[in-house]
Amino acid sequence: MTRVIHTGDTHVGYQQYHSPERRQDFLDAFERVVEDAVEEGVDAVVHAGDLFHDRRPELRDLLGTIDVLRELDDADIPFLAVVGNHESTRGGQWLDLFESLGLAERLGAAPRLVGDTAFYGLDHVPKSRRDELTYDFEPRDAAHAALVGHGLFTPFAHADWDTETVLGESNVEFDAFLVGDNHAPGTERVLETWVTYCGSTERASAAEEAARGYNLVEFGEEVDIRRRSLDTRPFAFVSVDLAEGEGADRVREQIRQHDVSDAVAIVEITGEGEPVTPASVEEFLSERGALVARVTDRRQTETESELSVSFADPDDAVRERVTDLGLSTAARDVEETVRASKTADSKVREEVKTRVDSLVEDGDLAAFSPAESGDGGGSDADADTGSGADDGADADADETDAETAADEERPPENAPGAGAVEAGSGETDGGEVAVEEADANSDDAESAEPDDPSDAEPDGENDAASDAGAEEAADDSSGGQFTMEDF
């Protein structure tokens, strides 16, 4: 019998709502999973991708993660993982760094035996390159076999990756497919295989109202999958439907019925009542001790220009406008670098030049072709990264693909055979599926806000580092960022 914790979408480093406390919350949630693993005495912790929220985590996030992984190492519990779309880089993956430190193991086409169960890995792969995949794994004589993957798989909401294709074309019969990317937990049976999402460990968007947690999976005579909840930062969801003549007083009255102390307070206003100034409501929430206050007035205010304004986050409006412009993937990458990335102002010009030169050198001229107006560049829902994936994940995935489309369309580097991609080896936009190490869809941690259109912050993608990026990591103004090239 083999017992493992199946977790994923921890998004360490995500400074949600620009709050340092929220950033710490994501690391704390990951640590709680590890503490449970040690207490339960499981045989392994299996992570289904998006350990980090950003492909360029800051030093504090790396050190915090290393400290957590050492807790597992001290308890002799292996940490087995795949690469998700948020953290994937063109060079080596952060997971490879942790593996070199003896703190993690990256799953792939070769089996990793834990007890009587063989574990395999399928990193995230952009939609445009999945037709090249051959799901070939190294067979192993074991009582059970499990595949760990990252993506939006059928039959779950917002899916864009066919599970029957993965399982049907694989040369290994799996008892379970342990997946990440969709922030909403769920379990289904496909081709006699249990397919299960563990969900995210922290709320990456206001759409994720349900409790966060992970799966405890036992491989015995049957596969037993049980849901475990985590104690995370409280979110107070306040919905106010204003009747005619009602206004701010009614909103405050409804807020008083909720405990918002030290919580993320999300207020949604609808109805036919009087206009309400979101700023005044947010101030009231702050006075009552809310850590973060977000107010969205869903009522449509008609103007001569029919302008729709959201007060949730100005970055949200910018992202939507950029999507509507029909910019090329290269232009979107440049826009994100200038507006939303963590690149120091003094390094922006050099970073933009490096990225454009990289696309030209790779022969990726298609990246300079205009996109269809309103085409976000794909759909991957999840992190706030959403996609039904996060209980509201669709928006997030779309944002992720939109800003990483340049990477997705880049032809495979050093792919084996005649362009075939072997599942489990090599790296792609999401990690390990045999195209050499390509960029994955990932959101900029400082500006990205997962799947909630009402409070989302832009999910920008930063290509992993060139020399300019490495210099930036050494610069104090970079906020402690590192890229894989620094190692």
Side-chain angles (χ1 to χ4, degrees):
M1 182 184 74
T2 304
R3 294 170 68 244
V4 302
I5 279 182
H6 165 216
T7 187
D9 293 292
T10 44
H11 291 277
V12 173
Y14 181 31
Q15 190 154 309
Q16 189 183 39
Y17 305 115
H18 307 289
S19 167
E21 290 84 358
R22 285 299 290 148
R23 186 191 200 108
Q24 184 63 39
D25 287 344
F26 282 82
L27 179 60
D28 290 346
F30 178 41
E31 185 169 21
R32 288 190 189 96
V33 174
V34 167
E35 290 172 348
D36 286 356
V38 174
E39 183 177 342
E40 288 281 346
V42 297
D43 298 305
V45 171
V46 176
H47 196 290
D50 281 352
L51 173 61
F52 291 113
H53 187 67
D54 195 316
R55 68 179 60 176
R56 297 163 64 182
E58 293 188 4
L59 178 59
R60 53 182 157 172
D61 306 316
L62 290 170
L63 293 177
T65 301
I66 288 173
D67 285 343
V68 173
L69 293 178
R70 279 183 176 147
E71 293 181 38
L72 280 179
D73 186 54
D74 290 343
D76 292 324
I77 298 175
F79 181 76
L80 315 177
V82 296
V83 178
N85 55 304
H86 274 250
E87 65 212 348
S88 180
T89 73
R90 255 178 210 178
Q93 306 299 331
W94 294 109
L95 190 55
D96 298 330
L97 173 64
F98 299 143
E99 188 166 36
S100 72
L101 297 173
L103 298 175
E105 295 180 50
R106 185 174 174 187
L107 295 172
R112 169 50 161 100
L113 195 63
V114 178
D116 59 0
T117 304
F119 289 87
Y120 298 82
L122 176 63
D123 292 348
H124 181 270
V125 179
K127 186 177 180 180
S128 62
R129 299 163 74 180
R130 291 172 193 161
D131 288 344
E132 305 167 22
L133 290 173
T134 58
Y135 299 97
D136 293 330
F137 301 90
E138 297 177 17
R140 174 65 185 261
D141 185 15
H144 306 285
L147 177 62
V148 182
H150 189 90
L152 299 176
F153 295 94
T154 58
F156 301 90
H158 309 285
D160 62 7
W161 200 335
D162 186 52
T163 302
E164 289 194 8
T165 298
V166 176
L167 300 177
E169 294 184 4
S170 170
N171 62 325
V172 172
E173 292 187 7
F174 296 108
D175 298 282
F177 188 17
L178 312 180
V179 286
D181 195 15
N182 191 321
H183 288 195
T187 302
E188 298 287 349
R189 187 87 158 167
V190 178
L191 298 182
E192 301 304 312
T193 298
W194 288 108
V195 182
T196 181
Y197 276 100
C198 54
S200 58
T201 53
E202 250 292 356
R203 292 180 176 89
S205 79
E208 300 174 20
E209 295 192 27
R212 303 293 92 190
Y214 58 85
N215 287 337
L216 184 62
V217 184
E218 182 176 301
F219 295 88
E221 292 185 7
E222 301 287 341
V223 177
D224 183 58
I225 302 170
R226 301 190 182 188
R227 181 76 180 158
R228 293 289 180 88
S229 295
L230 287 170
D231 182 17
T232 59
R233 171 85 58 183
F235 270 52
F237 297 96
V238 184
S239 297
V240 186
D241 186 17
L242 295 179
E244 188 173 350
E246 294 180 328
D249 288 342
R250 174 61 175 167
V251 174
R252 286 192 286 269
E253 177 185 329
Q254 290 294 100
I255 290 174
R256 291 190 187 97
Q257 298 179 25
H258 294 77
D259 181 7
V260 299
S261 179
D262 206 30
V264 175
I266 307 294
V267 178
E268 181 179 89
I269 303 172
T270 58
E272 303 296 328
E274 299 174 355
V276 175
T277 304
S280 65
V281 178
E282 291 179 355
E283 182 178 1
F284 180 71
L285 287 164
S286 296
E287 291 173 353
R288 294 185 65 82
L291 173 69
V292 173
R294 285 293 184 273
V295 179
T296 301
D297 193 336
R298 297 293 185 186
R299 298 171 296 176
Q300 296 294 321
T301 301
E302 295 183 2
T303 66
E304 292 182 1
S305 62
E306 296 184 353
L307 180 64
S308 175
V309 180
S310 170
F311 294 93
D313 196 317
D315 283 335
D316 186 31
V318 172
R319 185 184 63 254
E320 291 180 6
R321 178 56 180 153
V322 168
T323 300
D324 291 338
L325 290 176
L327 300 177
S328 67
T329 53
R332 284 198 298 270
D333 191 39
V334 170
E335 185 277 333
E336 186 279 328
T337 302
V338 174
R339 173 180 60 82
S341 77
K342 294 182 283 188
T343 302
D345 291 345
S346 61
K347 300 285 188 180
V348 168
R349 183 186 297 273
E350 184 177 3
E351 179 71 5
V352 168
K353 183 178 184 301
T354 298
R355 295 190 183 197
V356 173
D357 287 347
S358 177
L359 289 172
V360 174
E361 291 172 3
D362 289 344
D364 189 12
L365 301 184
F368 297 91
S369 300
E372 293 292 331
S373 179
D375 179 12
S379 76
D380 189 310
D382 148 295
D384 253 350
T385 194
S387 60
D390 327 9
D391 306 352
D394 192 38
D396 187 59
D398 288 342
E399 295 165 14
T400 298
D401 275 335
E403 301 188 353
T404 56
D407 291 323
E408 293 193 359
E409 296 306 321
R410 189 164 59 81
E413 301 172 6
N414 303 326
V421 180
E422 296 179 3
S425 63
E427 299 168 15
T428 66
D429 249 64
E432 168 143 17
V433 182
V435 170
E436 186 157 285
E437 299 165 333
D439 250 341
N441 306 356
S442 77
D443 303 30
D444 185 78
E446 288 295 332
S447 61
E449 183 100 334
D451 317 297
D452 182 15
S454 70
D455 65 5
E457 298 172 317
D459 269 295
E461 276 199 329
N462 294 317
D463 286 351
S466 53
D467 292 335
E471 292 172 8
E472 174 187 330
D475 189 336
D476 288 341
S477 63
S478 69
Q481 273 182 298
F482 283 85
T483 65
M484 282 304 299
E485 281 68 14
D486 292 307
F487 299 89

